[in-house]
Amino acid sequence: TIASLAQRVPEPREGDLVMMYSGSRVMHAGIYCVLVAEPWVLHAAERLGQVVLTRLRELADKGYRLEGFYRWT
């Protein structure tokens, strides 16, 4: 489980895990990063067949819902 690898945190730092819902289940993960003072998520977009950067505020536009942020233990 994720709890054995990382601890949930209220505020992310660069490199933290971003867990996202795809539909009703937590099924997608990315890495939190900040570029030009804006939060982004680096993740694989299977439908595009590539790794992409998505603005955190645009996750819903891509079909994802934020579950939470986790710091590796």
Side-chain angles (χ1 to χ4, degrees), residues 7-40:
Q7 179 179 352
R8 189 179 180 109
V9 294
E11 294 296 324
R13 292 191 308 217
E14 287 197 83
D16 283 349
L17 180 64
V18 180
M19 296 299 294
M20 297 164 268
Y21 289 101
S22 179
S24 62
R25 297 177 53 164
V26 177
M27 302 212 31
H28 198 67
I31 301 297
Y32 181 85
C33 55
V34 177
L35 299 170
V36 193
E38 183 167 12
W40 293 73

Side-chain angles (χ1 to χ4, degrees), residues 39-66:
W40 293 73
V41 179
L42 178 68
H43 61 110
E46 186 176 2
R47 68 181 176 271
L48 299 176
Q50 60 189 354
V51 174
V52 296
L53 273 170
T54 303
R55 286 178 176 90
L56 188 63
R57 62 183 164 86
E58 294 177 351
L59 285 177
D61 297 340
K62 309 294 183 195
Y64 302 109
R65 187 167 43 95
L66 182 65

